[in-house]
């Protein structure tokens, strides 16, 4: 019953968002309503409502295929974890942000925004288990099951997806609290700091606070 | 009186929280959060979560401009190893410490004007401990005065090879931790009022009684 209610709510939200939220979408850079290809709802690029389907998705319904690119994942001589091919919601992010994805339907590469295409080889490692064990071997990491994230619960509760590090450990695409991320382009300063608090981050990285949530350095 | 007491305790609290805050990288010489060019960030002068610089293989998400200098390397008649041009982590350190790249040059920014001063090891490495060579069992055997890195404990939990070498190579990081994580006392952890500085605390192993040197050298 509660599952059904949740489903109804999501469908309602997706179809009637403008009523719920008014004119301003909280999606900041992911508000594709502003672009020609985004369609009417800001949600459809990532979620669709399949008419007639009564399945309740455990994760958002993705309106496009998962990426099939073969990734080269991050590796280094000091790494203790074992990043795998992208898993969980990271796959969905990479459906648009992967450097190899071509433009089609909703497979966007925003024109002139090549930096939005992420290479996993030179990005923070993702898609691996981050647990108390890893923290113990590494010496420089906080224990995710006991350390507070600053967002209410522990790192594990607030930042990990089934105990794993993913794109969503650092990013929250719905980021309602930072509508001002539209301002990002104006915030580029001459030193290459592209408005570091405006990347749909789960928490501000002011003073590297996000990094220091997990890293005990 | 009550007010005074409260003031005393709250200033005590602030005093101690400053100490707590300074654990690790913060308040070390590699803490650039107080500068305008760092944007107040602790990690971004050296690391970035995306688009990291891959010029030096196996670097940890490197974000600083990498040096292109060539070096005069250490040599001596008694040396059994064969140090080459700096590689790996040493090259990352030298990207500030050889004095050819500005400290501020990180990310896409290249207009820096500040260089290391007393921390300049220069491009002449003939007067520095040899680096960037393989230190293995064979070298220890030939040398006679070195511990076997594959079996000798470093004192940090594993062997010398595991804790101090980068894929078997001796680098700046064999002796130094760039995060200077052993300093738990802020500036006075290294400087006290009477003497200028003890560099000890940035070392992976304290060098009191030459303990660091004697970890590898069997003299």
């Amino acid at each position: 019953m509660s599952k059904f209610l949740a489903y109804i709510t999501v469908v309602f939200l997706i179809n009637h968002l403008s009523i719920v939220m008014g004119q301003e979408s909280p999606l900041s850079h992911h508000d594709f309503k502003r672009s020609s290809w985004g369609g009417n709802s800001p949600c459809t690029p990532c979620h669709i409502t399949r008419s007639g389907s009564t399945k309740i998705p455990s994760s958002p319904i993705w309106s496009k295929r998962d990426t099939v690119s073969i990734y080269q994942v991050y590796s280094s001589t000091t790494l203790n974890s074992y990043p795998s091919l992208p898993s969980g919601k990271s796959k969905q992010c990479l459906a648009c942000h992967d450097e190899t994805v071509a433009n089609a339907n909703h497979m966007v590469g925003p024109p002139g925004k090549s930096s939005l295409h992420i290479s996993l080889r030179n990005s923070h490692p993702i898609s691996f288990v981050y647990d108390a064990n890893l923290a113990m071997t590494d010496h420089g990491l906080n224990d995710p099951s006991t350390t507070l994230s600053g967002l209410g619960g522990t790192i594990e509760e607030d930042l990990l997806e089934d105990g794993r590090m993913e794109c969503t450990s650092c990013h929250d695409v719905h980021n309602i609290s930072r509508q001002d991320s539209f301002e990002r382009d104006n915030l580029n300063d001459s030193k290459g700091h592209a408005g570091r608090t405006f990347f749909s981050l789960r928490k501000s990285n002011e003073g590297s606070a996000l990094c220091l949530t997990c890293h005990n350095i | 009186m009550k007010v005074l007491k409260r003031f005393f305790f709250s200033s005590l609290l602030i005093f101690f929280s400053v100490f707590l805050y300074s654990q690790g990288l913060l308040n070390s010489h590699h803490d650039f959060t107080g500068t305008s060019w760092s944007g107040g960030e602790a990690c971004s002068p050296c690391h970035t979560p995306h688009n990291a610089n891959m010029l030096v293989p196996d670097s940890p998400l490197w974000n600083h401009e990498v040096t292109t200098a060539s070096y005069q390397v250490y040599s001596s008649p008694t040396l059994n190893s064969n140090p080459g041009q700096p590689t790996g982590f040493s090259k990352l350190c030298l990207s500030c410490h050889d004095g050819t790249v500005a400290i501020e040059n990180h990310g896409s920014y290249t207009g820096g004007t500040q260089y290391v001063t007393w921390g300049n090891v220069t491009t002449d490495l003939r007067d520095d401990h040899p680096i960037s060579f393989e230190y293995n069992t064979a070298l220890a055997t030939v040398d006679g005065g070195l511990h076997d890195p594959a079996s000798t404990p470093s004192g940090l939990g594993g062997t010398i090879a595991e804790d101090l070498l980068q894929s078997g190579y001796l680098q700046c990081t064999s002796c130094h931790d760039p995060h200077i994580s052993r300093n738990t006392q802020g500036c006075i952890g290294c400087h006290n009022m009477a003497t200028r500085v003890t560099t000890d605390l940035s070392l992976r192993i304290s060098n009191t009684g030459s303990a660091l040197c004697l970890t590898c050298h069997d003299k």
Side-chain angles (χ1 to χ4, degrees), chain A residues 67 71-76 79-95 97-98 118-130 134 159-161 163-171 215, chain B residues 48-50 61:
Chain A
T67 42
Y71 293 99
Q72 258 185 302
V73 302
Y74 180 83
S75 75
S76 89
L79 207 64
N80 300 301
S81 55
Y82 302 96
S84 68
L85 290 177
S87 56
K89 281 152 198 151
S90 300
K91 277 207 307 216
Q92 270 75 48
C93 310
L94 289 160
H97 286 288
D98 170 22
I118 299 294
S119 159
L120 291 185
R121 224 159 46 101
N122 60 2
S123 277
H124 194 283
I126 52 155
S127 300
F128 62 87
V129 174
Y130 170 23
L134 179 65
L159 303 179
L160 304 184
E161 190 186 325
R164 290 165 73 84
M165 191 68 202
E166 302 291 355
C167 306
T168 48
S169 299
C170 297
H171 295 286
H215 291 281
Chain B
T48 175
H50 301 294
L61 299 171

Side-chain angles (χ1 to χ4, degrees), chain A residues 34-88:
Chain A
R34 297 189 167 202
S35 58
S36 53
W37 49 266
N40 288 328
S41 161
C43 318
T44 46
C46 301
H47 306 276
I48 50 164
T49 49
R50 288 200 197 90
S51 47
S53 163
T54 49
K55 268 202 216 123
I56 297 164
S58 60
S59 67
I61 320 164
W62 295 92
S63 56
K64 51 196 156 47
R65 284 169 294 129
D66 286 350
T67 42
V68 288
S69 340
I70 302 299
Y71 293 99
Q72 258 185 302
V73 302
Y74 180 83
S75 75
S76 89
T77 48
T78 43
L79 207 64
N80 300 301
S81 55
Y82 302 96
S84 68
L85 290 177
S87 56

Side-chain angles (χ1 to χ4, degrees), chain B residues 200-214:
Chain B
D200 212 34
L201 288 163
S202 71
L203 298 173
R204 294 215 179 256
I205 295 171
S206 161
N207 205 23
T208 309
S210 298
L212 172 68
C213 315
L214 292 170

Side-chain angles (χ1 to χ4, degrees), chain A residues 198-214:
Chain A
F198 302 93
F199 288 99
S200 308
L201 296 177
R202 291 236 167 239
K203 62 188 267 193
S204 160
N205 201 24
E206 204 70 56
S208 298
L210 175 67
C211 316
L212 289 165
T213 306
C214 302

Side-chain angles (χ1 to χ4, degrees), chain A residues 74-78 115 117-119 121-125 139 171 190-193 196 205-208 211-212 216-217, chain B residues 23-26 37-44 49-52 54 58-61 89 106 108-109 166-167 179:
Chain A
Y74 180 83
S75 75
S76 89
T77 48
T78 43
S115 70
H117 282 174
I118 299 294
S119 159
R121 224 159 46 101
N122 60 2
S123 277
H124 194 283
H139 298 304
H171 295 286
S190 56
K191 315 259 159 50
H193 291 282
R196 66 204 168 277
N205 201 24
E206 204 70 56
S208 298
C211 316
L212 289 165
N216 174 13
I217 275 188
Chain B
Q23 190 142 21
L25 177 91
L26 299 171
W37 60 265
S38 74
E41 283 190 32
C43 315
S44 71
H50 301 294
N51 303 315
M54 304 277 286
D58 290 324
S59 3
L61 299 171
F89 291 158
H106 70 294
S108 53
Y109 182 61
Q166 186 193 7
S167 304
H179 309 109

